[in-house]
Amino acid sequence: MDRRDFLAAASAVSIGGLTGAAVRWQIDDQAAHLRPPGSRSERRFLSQCIRCHHCVTSCPVGALVILPGIGPGAAATPAIDARRQPCDLCAGRPVMRCIESCPTGALRPGTTRREVAIGVARIDQRSCLPFQGVACRACWRACPFSGEAIRYDSLGRPYVDPRHCVGCGLCVHACLTEPPSIQVEPFASKKQLPREAPP
Amino acid sequence: MSRTVSASLPIGEAAVPDCRHTRPIERRFRFPFWTWAHRLTALALLVVFLLEPWLPANVFHGNWNGAVWFGAWTILDPLAGLETIVASRTVSWELVAGMATTVVAALLLGRVFCGWVCPLGLVLELNQTVRRRVHKTHHRTTLDSHRSATHRIKFYVLAGCLVGSAVATVPLFASWSPINIPFAWRGEDRLWALMPPAVLVVIEWWWPRVFCRSLCPLGALYSLLGRWSLLRVRITGEERLACRRCSRDCPMGIAVMEDHVCRGASSIDDPDCTRCGICADRCLGHILRLEWSRSRS
């Protein structure tokens, strides 16, 4: 390799590295989306997703949508809009289809329904009906882990136990208020993953 | 410094001393089988990928980063797969299995993806053909093309993609691939997805096939994998008519006659050769054959 080759290769590597750094800096600022079950955190998911859309095609309820645009961030990756169509964790089917279809392991194979960790629901107490004195059990009825992930206190007001909530969004879809009083906060990074007991 | 040969050079001893006319050239019509074969194959795949949203999932689904045929056979783009490996610092069995098809095909068949499969390759080759008819000249053939600087740039782009993906922790070419964007774009104004190929078509009016020859990192990866391939254009027989149609018409700018035929090589071993077979179709002496052979010479 002569000097010109070396310079060309070094330039390419430097440009690649700088582009990579710029991309990383930009995507770190972006908000996390709600990802298909089997994903761990936004950061990890974006690094493994090959943007092939097999999960989107295989979802039997059409919960996964392809985010619009071009780019190395969230564009062309699958996400769940829980209010439009939540993930029902393939209830009644032997396996979760998206996890089965992912060819890169971005949705970790072998994830069970209870191990799913795509986000944690959070209740907005300003609009949630029981907090205004109106009895409502819509989220509790929709939750696949009701009694564990969503519980009611002695005054009949719901609260989410992050140890059990998987982030499927069925509660968001069922909430009676508009905008919904319960939203799923996706995990942006690995640090948010371990579930802690509620304060 | 690369040397170029333009189409206006005289044929005969002045240009290539080892090739000479030994018998009259017979100009009979021969059906250009390989030309039609590789273009129709690429066209068929292009149509299938375009119709993907309407095809049943158990027949075909996916895009050029990853596709599943008949619900069972997963084929992943090897560059996108490599980028996810370096971006995430993990490998999974599914990923390796998905990449196996393209990697093994490249090892055995060479850079056939570019000639027989790639939708962008088809569009750019047709663009090139139209340009030749309009301009009535051919682009320059680069002697010793596999060593020339312009053809080497794509390997640096490949290195940049891999390093960039590792630093960014996201796959870069998988997100920006001009091959995949028209098929994977979702959202409003879907016509914007045609911008990357359209820009390349315009640019290539002045630099024919520059993307495939000089820039495409996926082509660079296939080129590296295909160095030992057993499917090649073999050079048979003793007659060399020096008509230069092979060099003139090679879409990748390989100097087939100057670098291979006239040097007594038994096959075209240029890593950029996409096995399109155009040279074999055009050869007036019928000495070029696209063939599979166990021997690597």
Side-chain angles (χ1 to χ4, degrees):
Chain A
M1 190 190 263
D2 63 11
R3 188 169 64 171
R4 208 154 36 130
D5 281 334
F6 175 76
L7 283 177
S11 316
V13 166
S14 314
I15 293 173
L18 287 172
T19 311
V23 164
R24 170 83 184 260
W25 193 38
Q26 189 210 9
I27 63 178
D28 273 350
D29 280 344
Q30 287 176 358
H33 290 86
L34 192 58
R35 298 298 180 182
S39 62
R40 299 306 287 157
S41 64
E42 177 84 353
R43 169 94 51 85
R44 184 164 195 70
F45 180 75
L46 287 179
S47 75
Q48 287 186 292
C49 177
I50 206 174
R51 284 86 169 152
C52 67
H53 308 159
H54 296 176
C55 53
V56 178
T57 312
S58 64
C59 178
V61 297
L64 297 175
V65 294
I66 301 168
L67 295 174
I70 301 175
T77 55
I80 299 173
D81 176 1
R83 186 63 166 173
R84 183 193 69 89
Q85 172 61 53
C87 168
D88 67 348
L89 301 174
C90 277
R93 298 177 197 97
V95 290
M96 282 184 275
R97 295 262 186 83
C98 52
I99 294 177
E100 189 187 38
S101 70
C102 179
T104 64
L107 307 180
R108 199 161 67 176
T111 307
T112 63
R113 289 180 177 83
R114 285 190 178 272
E115 285 171 345
V116 170
I118 51 182
V120 174
R122 209 161 284 273
I123 294 172
D124 183 355
Q125 298 179 355
R126 295 166 302 179
S127 55
C128 175
L129 293 177
F131 286 85
Q132 324 312 325
V134 178
C136 174
R137 293 228 159 198
C139 54
W140 182 83
R141 271 201 297 267
C143 178
F145 304 106
S146 50
E148 301 166 62
I150 293 186
R151 298 198 191 136
Y152 283 81
D153 62 12
S154 50
L155 297 175
R157 299 176 307 187
Y159 67 92
V160 177
D161 184 347
R163 290 173 302 178
H164 298 289
C165 176
V166 299
C168 63
L170 284 159
C171 53
V172 178
H173 185 71
C175 182
L176 300 184
T177 66
E178 179 59 41
S181 306
I182 188 167
Q183 292 280 18
V184 177
E185 287 180 1
F187 296 128
S189 72
K190 206 168 54 166
K191 282 182 276 217
Q192 296 171 8
L193 272 177
R195 296 161 172 151
E196 321 217 337
Chain B
M1 218 39 168
S2 66
R3 298 167 293 148
T4 58
V5 176
S6 75
S8 58
L9 262 185
I11 298 165
E13 284 87 5
V16 278
D18 290 322
C19 288
R20 54 190 183 278
H21 292 285
T22 56
R23 58 178 168 85
I25 298 174
E26 310 154 39
R27 289 177 187 262
R28 245 187 353 236
F29 174 76
R30 199 163 44 122
F31 179 72
F33 173 76
W34 292 116
T35 310
W36 279 91
H38 83 264
R39 288 178 185 172
L40 284 179
T41 307
L43 181 64
L45 288 167
L46 170 69
V47 167
V48 168
F49 275 76
L50 274 179
L51 295 179
E52 186 263 350
W54 297 280
L55 290 174
N58 57 0
V59 171
F60 172 77
H61 67 271
N63 56 34
W64 291 99
N65 281 350
V68 183
W69 288 89
F70 309 114
W73 188 17
T74 303
I75 305 179
L76 298 182
D77 181 287
L79 180 55
L82 263 184
E83 287 184 326
T84 58
I85 292 174
V86 298
S88 63
R89 311 355 170 193
T90 56
V91 190
S92 69
W93 279 117
E94 291 86 4
L95 187 59
V96 172
M99 288 168 61
T101 308
T102 41
V103 169
V104 169
L107 288 170
L108 291 176
L109 306 175
R111 206 176 153 177
V112 282
F113 175 86
C114 304
W116 289 70
V117 177
C118 183
L120 191 58
L122 174 69
V123 166
L124 295 177
E125 185 176 305
L126 295 178
N127 183 42
Q128 199 178 19
T129 309
V130 169
R131 182 192 180 275
R132 283 176 177 171
R133 296 264 167 95
V134 167
H135 275 229
K136 295 185 172 44
T137 58
H138 293 262
H139 69 87
R140 296 171 176 196
T141 309
T142 312
L143 298 181
D144 279 337
S145 67
H146 61 282
R147 283 203 280 270
S148 85
T150 39
H151 283 233
R152 268 205 307 266
I153 292 174
K154 57 183 185 290
F155 297 102
Y156 306 142
V157 176
L158 174 63
C161 283
L162 291 173
V163 168
S165 299
V167 171
T169 68
V170 286
L172 294 182
F173 185 76
S175 312
W176 279 323
S177 161
I179 302 170
N180 193 40
I181 284 173
F183 299 86
W185 171 286
R186 295 290 184 275
E188 318 269 313
D189 297 330
R190 200 145 170 197
L191 281 180
W192 276 106
L194 294 176
M195 272 278 287
V199 164
L200 287 175
V201 165
V202 169
I203 288 176
E204 294 207 350
W205 200 255
W206 289 275
W207 292 283
R209 215 66 193 272
V210 69
F211 180 72
C212 306
R213 289 185 293 140
S214 299
L215 300 174
C216 181
L218 181 59
L221 181 60
Y222 283 125
S223 178
L224 287 174
L225 290 172
R227 295 183 68 83
W228 304 278
S229 95
L230 301 179
L231 175 74
R232 294 190 179 197
V233 177
R234 309 272 165 190
I235 302 168
T236 60
E238 293 295 320
E239 303 272 12
R240 277 98 166 92
L241 297 180
C243 66
R244 217 182 156 266
R245 277 174 151 207
C246 49
S247 295
R248 185 194 67 172
D249 291 341
C250 175
M252 299 302 281
I254 299 169
V256 178
M257 190 186 83
E258 291 88 344
D259 284 343
H260 299 94
V261 177
C262 291
R263 287 190 189 161
S266 56
S267 67
I268 301 174
D269 64 355
D270 194 303
D272 279 343
C273 175
T274 61
R275 282 70 171 162
C276 66
I278 286 178
C279 56
D281 282 345
R282 301 273 196 269
C283 176
L284 282 180
H286 306 199
I287 63 170
L288 296 175
R289 295 212 187 115
L290 182 58
E291 269 176 0
W292 168 273
S293 164
R294 284 284 168 82
S295 86
R296 271 193 237 125
S297 63

